[in-house]
Amino acid sequence: MFSLPGLTRSLTLLCSITQVFGTPIDTRSDITDYFSSVESDLKSLTVQTAPSTIEDAFSKLQSILDGKNLTLVETATQLISAGLSSLTWDGVVSYIDGLESGLASSSNVNSREPSVAVYPSASTGDAPYSFSEDELRSALYIPGNFTYGVSGAPQPILLVGGTGNPGYVTFVGTYIKLLQNEETSFGDPVWLNIPGYELDDLQKNAEFVAYAINYLSNICGNRSIAVMGYSQGNLDSQWAYKYWPSTRAHVTDHVAFSPGYRGTELTQIIKWVPQPPAWLQALYDSDFVLATRANGGDSSYVPTTVIYSLTDEVVQPQFGDGASSPLKDAHGAGVTNVRVQDACPGQVAGSFYTHEGIPYNPLAYALARDAVLNDGTGQLSRLDLTSICGNYLAPTLTLEDFLLTENTAVVAAVLTLLYDGKSTTEPAIADYAK
């Protein structure tokens, strides 16, 4: 699936590029030369000494990103140079190669058969799948100590990752650790490693979410599950809830970290530069986003707790009526929309949090836990904000976990550049959604 791209296949992902470093970019040769330079810079970097404290790490991260409009490649380069990522270009390639046969594999053997067929359809109202059942099932990674929802066991939780990352890489520094740690666990995690690292068509990615919800609930004795999504994982899930309505009855809660339910205005596309489909669909009010939000898709289908940041460097805008992350509640399923700066004003947990930073934010953890352990959505009124807002990280997370999570931006940059199958046009909306 991956090949080294030609220079004209490079892309800008996160910012307007009318100017870069003060130099106007007006021609194809200008942009070719620019991307050749930044890709070369990324490949040449070596691992730097990491910050020694979490306070220093946060300070360095803010100095890199605050007020800047960096491309994904520029962000990755800055993270490596500041010691905020332990991965370089070659490190990403080796890291992913080492995980693909295990924790980040999309070729897993899940031999438990559902008691009632969930394929080719769990309900007559569901959209058709374009993948085989084996393909859909094998993307689900189930840890060896998973309890399958037996009596007295924690609730099963499905983790759905973000663009350019396997599910494992997305959550290894946050909710895989938090949910597998007896001190901080409130559920039993499994995760999706969607083929193509979620760079393919989001409509196809959503099929894996829809199947996983119905399959996982069934093999857990028809016990309802919770779903926790990061970034694109929330759009995938919302599409699944909308067009595979059978899934809704099997989900007690959806927790959305840094979602872009309206897409992002920071992803400014040069139309003649080929892109992975997922980045084209991430545009603010893209065809995919508009189809998702139409006919009630801008509202929650299951109880949904949304946690996001004003200083998200990927998804913008995050203020006003056009804010990208919040959902409405037209269906009455229940929604809590929380921007961390509003809930913890002037405090550490409400300070500069990036797109990838919300999963390690302590308020996000507290709301997720509250949502899963109680009926309905997470509620600030049930939380001790005085103690929560004074922390940088969720309980038990460390500087090492922070750095693991910052690695996700570098992984996404490298895998995006290596992605084969870029296009200049967004995938067509499926017939079932028209």
Side-chain angles (χ1 to χ4, degrees), residues 55-69:
E55 291 83 1
D56 188 24
F58 265 76
S59 177
K60 285 190 173 184
L61 186 62
Q62 182 168 358
S63 69
I64 289 170
L65 295 175
D66 194 7
K68 312 292 197 311
N69 285 329

Side-chain angles (χ1 to χ4, degrees), residues 351-366:
S351 58
F352 187 88
Y353 274 83
T354 61
H355 186 66
E356 68 276 12
I358 288 298
Y360 53 63
N361 179 281
L363 177 63
Y365 166 79

